[in-house]
Amino acid sequence: MRLARRTASTALFCATCLLAWPAVSLADTDPETGETLLKGTADGKEVTVRLPDPEKQLPLEDLRKFTEVFGRIREAYVEEVDDRTLLENAIKGMLSGLDPHSAYLEPQAYEELEESTSGEFGGLGIEVGIEDGFVRVIAPIDDTPAQKAGVQAGDMIIKLGDQPVKGMGLEEAVSLMRGKPGTTITLTIIRDQGSAPIEIDVKRDIIKVTSVKSRMLEPGYGYLRVTQFQAETGREFVSAINKLENEYGETLNGLIIDLRNNPGGVLQAAVEAADAVLNEGLIVYTEGRIQSSKLRFSAQPGDDSNGAPIVVLINGGSASASEILAGALQDQKRAVVMGTESFGKGSVQTVVPLDDTHAIKLTTARYYTPNGRSIQAKGIHPDIVVKQGRLTEVDNQPFFTEADLSGHLENGEQDGRVPETTDGDTGGDNENPAVTSEQGQKSSGDKLIAQDYQLRTGLNLLKGLHILKYNEAKSE
């Protein structure tokens, strides 16, 4: 009907023109736009009328196909379905067919999205996406029911309770995982290709996500864990660095930023975190089809960490905003990125409200690291690949040394020993930044280091970087 009306109106328009214009030339085509140019004269002046390119209009055959399918479902489906439901399902399919992250947000999903960015919501505590028709776990969130139950990044969920996930939309799957706190849902998971499915019972709870956690691993060496990027994460990130520096009493010898299993979140929060440890330079830029999706974010002067060496830990559960932070610090040579390859979500989603209760989450741009890298479906490759493993210390017998030899030559120092210093001592030429007292090994971070091979490797690297920095400063 629309085409018929358009054709009729065009014909009427042309007839009117023929009556008004003394002369009309044959139609030409604009080589750049493909539009039809109708040229003529009116009142002695040349006039050009641009007619829309028919190929850029809604395709008539496809519209006919849609209305035919719509009508057949309404008339012949086994159960009666109202028109509104059919149209909303069509919208859902239109968005879900674009990519795994675009979606139609109905009232409950819209509300849950707002809750998740604020840091408190109900559910299991996992970030998920759709892959090959199944639900893929991007990462479990720290200290949530899913993590405590043993759900891991990369797990493929094939059943939610008794319902198969194959072909289920993301929002429907998320809705099934949400529920009344205290109730339990069984996740059927495939963890390794070719392995038998495993079942994990997870008890739902109110999820309160602490975005930034910090502690001192050893005197002078801080640990900063970002679990998810929320609206206030940037401010919390700066506060955590300042707290570590105040606890140590001076500039940190090194800082570990742990982004493992961080599923991402708010883009602006990742930018603010990068800005906190960069003095200058580009952080990230986005490119899309509309002008509002073409953005550039750069660091403002001032480094809250005062130039302390940084190691960033990532793994396959590090996605989106966490990859923005890791990529920015890697490209700007501000940090050493260590761990395993990240998830590779290099797109930006914009939530567009349709009314007070409905919205669409639409992929509007790709983001790029300062060096112009798109990590979409590629991820951030660490500078040093370190896979997670179990660490077992072997208590070896002490070696037989020179000092055990009868009649050995004395050291030559007054008491036969080099004066000892503790980590963080800044006085005298005998300072050794690598020395750590036995008491330091028993610090609050000792247990964490003993259980985490990647973290321990990162800490050892930080010590080496601090030694280099100390030696360079001493030689100047």
Side-chain angles (χ1 to χ4, degrees), residues 284-361:
V284 66
Y285 67 95
T286 63
E287 291 286 349
R289 294 175 58 207
I290 58 176
Q291 190 60 39
S292 60
S293 65
K294 299 176 182 179
L295 304 172
R296 295 177 71 87
F297 300 91
S298 297
Q300 302 300 312
D303 178 356
D304 288 277
S305 66
N306 295 302
I310 296 175
V311 169
V312 176
L313 298 179
I314 62 171
N315 65 2
S318 307
S320 193
S322 58
E323 294 173 294
I324 288 175
L325 176 55
L329 299 188
Q330 185 180 52
D331 281 6
Q332 295 293 357
K333 303 189 186 307
R334 180 63 185 88
V336 176
V337 177
M338 177 181 286
T340 56
E341 198 167 88
S342 63
F343 183 76
K345 182 183 177 293
S347 59
V348 179
Q349 282 68 48
T350 302
V351 177
V352 183
L354 303 177
D355 53 39
D356 291 339
T357 57
H358 294 76
I360 60 172
K361 184 173 65 171

Side-chain angles (χ1 to χ4, degrees), residues 106-405:
E106 295 180 279
Q108 183 177 350
Y110 191 15
E111 183 179 345
E112 288 170 352
L113 179 66
E114 292 178 322
E115 288 174 351
S116 66
T117 56
S118 69
E120 181 174 331
F121 54 96
L124 306 180
I126 51 177
E127 180 78 9
V128 295
I130 293 292
E131 182 179 319
D132 298 329
F134 295 105
V135 175
R136 172 74 78 177
V137 176
I138 296 174
I141 300 170
D142 284 1
D143 302 323
T144 61
Q147 188 202 44
K148 294 174 182 177
V151 178
Q152 298 179 12
D155 284 349
M156 187 79 82
I157 301 174
I158 60 174
K159 285 178 68 177
L160 291 168
D162 296 328
Q163 297 193 41
V165 172
K166 184 69 173 177
M168 190 181 290
L170 182 60
E171 298 307 319
E172 184 181 356
V174 170
S175 179
L176 286 175
M177 286 186 276
R178 304 258 180 165
K180 186 177 180 181
T183 59
T184 300
I185 185 172
T186 300
L187 308 182
T188 304
I189 286 171
I190 294 178
R191 179 154 294 164
D192 300 308
Q193 190 172 5
S195 64
I198 58 176
E199 293 185 351
I200 299 178
D201 294 329
V202 186
K203 183 180 288 187
R204 298 181 179 94
D205 200 355
I206 297 297
I207 308 301
K208 297 180 180 180
V209 179
T210 302
S211 177
V212 180
K213 303 176 182 179
S214 63
R215 67 194 304 172
M216 198 69 78
L217 294 174
E218 290 183 4
Y221 295 94
Y223 172 77
L224 199 155
R225 164 80 177 145
V226 185
T227 60
Q228 188 180 19
F229 286 94
Q230 302 164 0
E232 297 298 318
T233 299
R235 180 184 59 79
E236 294 172 6
F237 189 92
V238 174
S239 296
I241 293 176
N242 293 336
K243 179 182 176 182
L244 289 170
E245 289 178 330
N246 291 336
E247 181 180 340
Y248 183 50
E250 55 183 293
T251 300
L252 295 173
N253 295 335
L255 177 66
I256 288 180
I257 301 175
D258 189 351
L259 302 178
R260 292 173 298 177
N261 294 328
N262 181 323
V266 180
L267 170 67
Q268 185 62 38
V271 170
E272 291 172 1
D275 191 9
V277 293
L278 287 172
N279 260 321
E280 60 181 359
L282 185 62
I283 295 172
V284 66
Y285 67 95
T286 63
E287 291 286 349
R289 294 175 58 207
I290 58 176
Q291 190 60 39
S292 60
S293 65
K294 299 176 182 179
L295 304 172
R296 295 177 71 87
F297 300 91
S298 297
Q300 302 300 312
D303 178 356
D304 288 277
S305 66
N306 295 302
I310 296 175
V311 169
V312 176
L313 298 179
I314 62 171
N315 65 2
S318 307
S320 193
S322 58
E323 294 173 294
I324 288 175
L325 176 55
L329 299 188
Q330 185 180 52
D331 281 6
Q332 295 293 357
K333 303 189 186 307
R334 180 63 185 88
V336 176
V337 177
M338 177 181 286
T340 56
E341 198 167 88
S342 63
F343 183 76
K345 182 183 177 293
S347 59
V348 179
Q349 282 68 48
T350 302
V351 177
V352 183
L354 303 177
D355 53 39
D356 291 339
T357 57
H358 294 76
I360 60 172
K361 184 173 65 171
L362 187 65
T363 300
T364 55
R366 288 184 176 89
Y367 70 76
Y368 298 84
T369 68
N371 287 350
R373 293 183 294 161
S374 169
I375 60 92
Q376 174 60 29
K378 288 186 176 181
I380 296 290
H381 189 76
D383 299 307
I384 302 175
V385 176
V386 178
K387 297 181 180 180
Q388 190 61 285
R390 295 180 181 176
L391 185 64
T392 302
E393 292 187 353
V394 179
D395 186 14
N396 291 322
Q397 293 294 326
F399 284 95
F400 187 81
T401 68
E402 172 74 14
D404 297 316
L405 294 175

